[in-house]
Amino acid sequence: MPSTPSSPATGARSTGPEPLPAHLRAAAAERALVMGVVNVTPDSFSDGGRWFEPGAAVAHGLRLLEEGADLLDVGGESTRPGADRVPVEEERRRVLPVVTELVRAGAVVSVDTTRSAVAADAVEAGAVLVNDVSGGLADPRMADVVAAAGVAYVAMHWRGHADVMDALATYDDVVTEVRDELARRLDDLVAAGVRPEQVVLDPGLGFAKRGSDNWPLLAHLDVLRGLGRPVLVGASRKRFLGHLLAGPDGVPAPPERRDAATAAISALAAAAGAWCVRVHDVAPTADAVRVAAAWTAGAHVRAGR
C-alpha cells in the first residue's frame, strides 16, 4: 500500500526540502518559489534552441534571475513528446559549463536530468537540486546518488520516455492514480536511502497525460500535497495550454502565446499551496505568485475576524 502521511494543514505553506539554502526556505514560507527554465538543447519545444550555446544559456539564466527567478533549472536533454535521447557525454557537455558558471555567479541551480552520472557531476559543480522527470525510474542509480549527496530531489510522475509516453496516457481516475504512483515512488526512494525531507513531488503535467488529464491534477493539488511533501507544478507552455487557446481554426496556440495562461496557472497553483512553479517566462509568474500570496493572506485576515 502507498504511504499516507498526514495532510498539511489547509492553507499551510511548505518551506520545501531541507537541503535548500535558508533564504529560499524563508521565501517559500511566504509564497511559491519561481524556477526559471534554462534549456541547453537544440530541439526544445518551447524556445527552439535559442540558448543552446553555453554563453547564451548563462546570459539567459542571469536575465531570469533579474526578472525574479528564485532558482534556475538547467537541462541538456529535451523531454518533449517524441524526442530522442542524447548520449550521456553530450548531455554532460551541454549542462556542466552552464551549471558551473551560474553557480559562480551566485545562482541557486537545479539540474534537469534523468541520469545519475549527470546529476552527480552537476552536484559536484554546485547544483543543489536534482529535477528528475522520471522520478528515479529511468536510472536505478539515481536514488543512490541523491542519498549520498543529500541534495533536494524533484520526483516527477512518469510512465516512460518521451518517445513512448503518449501511448501510456490511460487512466480511470487520473488524480488517484498519479497520487498512488507518486506515493510508491516516495516509498521506494526512502527505502533506497533518500530522506523524505529531500523530496519534492511533481504531478508531471503533459507527461503520459492527455490534455484533459492535466486539469483535474491542477484542480486537486491538495490530494498530492496530502502525501506530505512539497509539490512543484510545471505547466509552462505545454501542449494542453496550446489546445485550450486554439483559435477558431482549431490550430493550437504556439508556445510563445501560452505565457499568459502559464502565469494564470502559476497564480492558481500558488494559491493552492504549490511550493514552486517551473516556467520559461519568469517576470509574469514572479508577479503572479506574489498576487496569490497577498490574496491568500487577505483570506486569512477575513477568516480571523
Side-chain angles (χ1 to χ4, degrees), residues 13-17 20 24 27-37 68-73 108 110 129 131 152 154 200-205 218 221 225 229-236 262 265-279 282 285 289:
R13 288 211 55 79
S14 170
T15 58
L20 287 183
L24 277 193
E30 302 297 327
R31 58 170 175 82
L33 299 181
V34 179
M35 175 185 281
V37 178
D70 297 293
L71 62 167
L72 300 175
D73 193 37
V108 178
S110 161
L129 186 150
N131 183 15
V154 176
V200 173
L201 300 175
D202 179 343
L205 302 175
L218 285 165
L221 290 180
R225 292 181 68 222
R229 299 308 309 140
V231 172
L232 181 146
V233 171
S236 184
T262 297
I265 288 178
S266 296
L268 292 166
W275 165 73
C276 182
V277 288
R278 179 182 183 274
V279 298
V282 163
T285 280
V289 299

Side-chain angles (χ1 to χ4, degrees), residues 43-296:
D43 56 347
S44 166
F45 82 94
S46 63
D47 51 38
R50 292 175 65 192
W51 325 118
F52 183 47
E53 291 303 320
V58 170
H60 179 58
L62 295 178
R63 281 193 296 273
L64 295 182
L65 291 178
E66 292 175 356
E67 292 173 1
D70 297 293
L71 62 167
L72 300 175
D73 193 37
V74 179
E77 182 177 46
S78 176
T79 54
R80 63 180 172 79
D84 293 325
R85 303 219 68 190
V86 300
V88 63
E89 287 305 323
E90 173 63 11
E91 188 180 352
R92 277 192 175 107
R93 187 194 70 77
R94 296 175 181 182
V95 165
L96 295 180
V98 178
V99 171
T100 299
E101 288 304 314
L102 287 173
V103 169
R104 187 173 295 159
V108 178
V109 175
S110 161
V111 61
D112 178 1
T113 186
T114 62
R115 290 178 165 129
S116 61
V118 176
D121 289 347
V123 169
E124 185 174 353
V128 297
L129 186 150
V130 175
N131 183 15
D132 180 357
V133 300
S134 81
L137 290 170
D139 185 341
R141 295 167 294 183
M142 182 66 86
D144 294 336
V145 167
V146 172
V151 293
Y153 180 66
V154 176
M156 195 192 80
H157 177 262
W158 187 83
R159 287 183 168 181
H161 284 293
D163 58 342
V164 299
M165 66 181 179
D166 280 352
L168 303 173
T170 57
Y171 302 90
D172 292 321
D173 179 341
V174 67
V175 176
T176 297
E177 291 173 56
V178 168
R179 178 200 64 194
D180 290 351
E181 290 171 34
L182 282 175
R184 287 193 288 273
R185 291 308 308 137
L186 181 58
D187 286 345
D188 290 347
L189 289 166
V190 171
V194 179
R195 292 180 296 112
E197 294 80 8
Q198 292 175 250
V199 181
V200 173
L201 300 175
D202 179 343
L205 302 175
F207 286 80
K209 312 289 189 304
R210 299 179 300 264
S212 60
D213 293 327
N214 297 288
W215 298 109
L217 289 167
L218 285 165
H220 294 285
L221 290 180
D222 59 314
V223 173
L224 302 182
R225 292 181 68 222
L227 293 173
R229 299 308 309 140
V231 172
L232 181 146
V233 171
S236 184
R237 295 182 178 176
K238 289 193 172 173
R239 282 186 301 174
F240 73 101
L241 295 180
H243 289 292
L244 176 72
L245 304 173
D249 56 2
V251 176
E256 63 272 14
R257 282 233 304 109
R258 304 171 191 172
D259 288 329
T262 297
I265 288 178
S266 296
L268 292 166
W275 165 73
C276 182
V277 288
R278 179 182 183 274
V279 298
H280 299 84
D281 188 16
V282 163
T285 280
D287 291 344
V289 299
R290 286 165 173 81
V291 168
W295 185 291
T296 303

